[in-house]
Amino acid sequence: MSHTPRGPRRAGRSVRPGTSRLVPGRSAVGTAGAAPPLSPRARALLWSLCCALLAVLTWQVLADGPLRSADERLGDALRAAAPPRAGAELLADLGNPPVAVPVLCAAAVYALVRSRGGLWRSVVCAAVALAAVAPVVSVLKSWTHRPGPLGGTGYFPSGHAATTAVAFGAAFLLLRPLLPGRHRTDTSAGRPLGVLRVLRPSLLWLVVLLVVGNGLGLVWRGYHWPADVLAAWCLAVPLLSAAALTARRWTARHRTGPPHGPSGPPAGSASRPLPEHGSAPDPDSSSGSDFGRGPEPGSGPESGPGPGPGPDAR
């Protein structure tokens, strides 16, 4: 979120002490209830860490290095301490395309309905990220030819773990700005939205638990070594980040309405009242998204068709 110069504050009902108005022209959703996107420096650092770790793991697998031996010992120990087969198999199956793809489809449909079709650019980027998992994983599998715990080759990285991370992560990024934030209130009654306000952090933890549980299930059932799963997660982070960045830039180039100059909106145009910081936005205002929310004023919603298929191999 960009910062505006702070001038003298007027005492009144529209601005409370210690708060500031939202920037004119910016969608209220995505500023009052959602965290801003990662800064370029943080995004570059995250990309660098994931790519470096993926490169190290790939190198160790190809060179049969000490990390590969330690990884296989850890995998054997986890498989020996595995929980009952039914539970581990259920977690491992979260990465199956018949499970992961409908999850992202449901999130996309909900985002489209809530935004009245405005989030289609975000959904397109999410679908492309999921569709990219299969070819990228297939190339790495063909290159490394790593044997699996139960035999066979072509297990690095895990296609199921990458599919789960990208599908569930993209669904979270689509849904997160549409849920009430901690400070959002019911404008009709002036009360917090109750149970709904806890859905945002609960959804994040649910996604994390499902992704981690899927990785453990794959190791417990002997479908992958731990490094296969970790490499898949390192691959999912750049895919999701690239999709989010692309959607934000795409939205910034297709905003609706002429930009306001320094003197304010054009003459004769009716200005919308600015909401208080922490209050619920106008329900008719455009919806923001972690995928499509841009840092410039005036950004609008976006969405798109359902996602493509995920990888077909564990």
Side-chain angles (χ1 to χ4, degrees):
M1 178 182 293
S2 61
H3 297 281
T4 56
R6 296 179 179 270
R9 300 172 186 250
R10 297 181 180 179
R13 299 179 59 185
S14 60
V15 179
R16 297 192 300 266
T19 64
S20 59
R21 294 178 182 269
L22 295 178
V23 177
R26 182 174 298 178
S27 172
V29 179
T31 56
L38 290 177
S39 65
R41 179 178 298 179
R43 189 185 305 116
L45 178 60
L46 184 60
W47 276 53
S48 300
L49 290 176
C50 291
C51 291
L53 182 55
L54 178 60
V56 169
L57 292 175
T58 305
W59 163 55
Q60 287 294 294
V61 168
L62 290 172
D64 198 10
L67 286 181
R68 174 173 175 173
S69 301
D71 174 55
E72 293 177 356
R73 290 194 299 269
L74 176 60
D76 291 336
L78 290 174
R79 194 164 64 254
R85 175 174 179 174
E89 187 72 27
L90 180 62
L91 290 173
D93 287 342
L94 291 176
N96 287 335
V99 177
V101 172
V103 168
L104 185 53
C105 285
V109 170
Y110 181 80
L112 290 173
V113 171
R114 282 290 306 273
S115 66
R116 301 173 185 175
L119 289 173
W120 69 269
R121 294 184 184 90
S122 293
V123 178
V124 167
C125 293
V128 171
L130 183 58
V133 170
V136 174
V137 168
S138 297
V139 169
L140 290 175
K141 285 178 179 290
S142 301
W143 181 29
T144 55
H145 291 289
R146 186 182 191 182
L150 303 181
T153 58
Y155 283 82
F156 180 91
S158 169
H160 274 55
T163 300
T164 304
V166 172
F168 286 53
F172 168 74
L173 292 177
L174 287 173
L175 295 178
R176 179 174 178 265
L178 301 176
L179 296 175
R182 183 177 57 182
H183 302 297
R184 299 265 292 279
T185 58
D186 183 354
T187 54
S188 63
R191 298 190 303 270
L193 287 171
V195 178
L196 291 179
R197 66 179 178 175
V198 305
L199 289 181
R200 186 191 301 265
S202 300
L203 183 62
L204 172 61
W205 284 111
L206 177 61
V207 169
V208 171
L209 289 175
L210 290 176
V211 171
V212 173
N214 171 251
L216 290 174
L218 292 170
V219 176
W220 284 334
R221 293 293 298 126
Y223 297 136
H224 281 287
W225 302 109
D228 303 343
V229 175
L230 182 57
W233 293 343
C234 291
L235 179 63
V237 170
L239 287 176
L240 288 172
S241 299
L245 181 61
T246 301
R248 285 197 295 270
R249 290 183 174 179
W250 191 3
T251 302
R253 293 196 301 266
H254 293 82
R255 2 188 140 266
T256 58
H260 295 165
S263 60
S269 63
S271 59
R272 184 186 300 273
L274 296 175
E276 295 181 350
H277 179 73
S279 63
D282 189 334
D284 292 332
S285 63
S286 58
S287 298
S289 171
D290 275 18
F291 272 121
R293 187 178 64 253
E296 299 87 353
S299 61
E302 67 285 351
S303 74
D312 55 354
R314 291 183 183 271

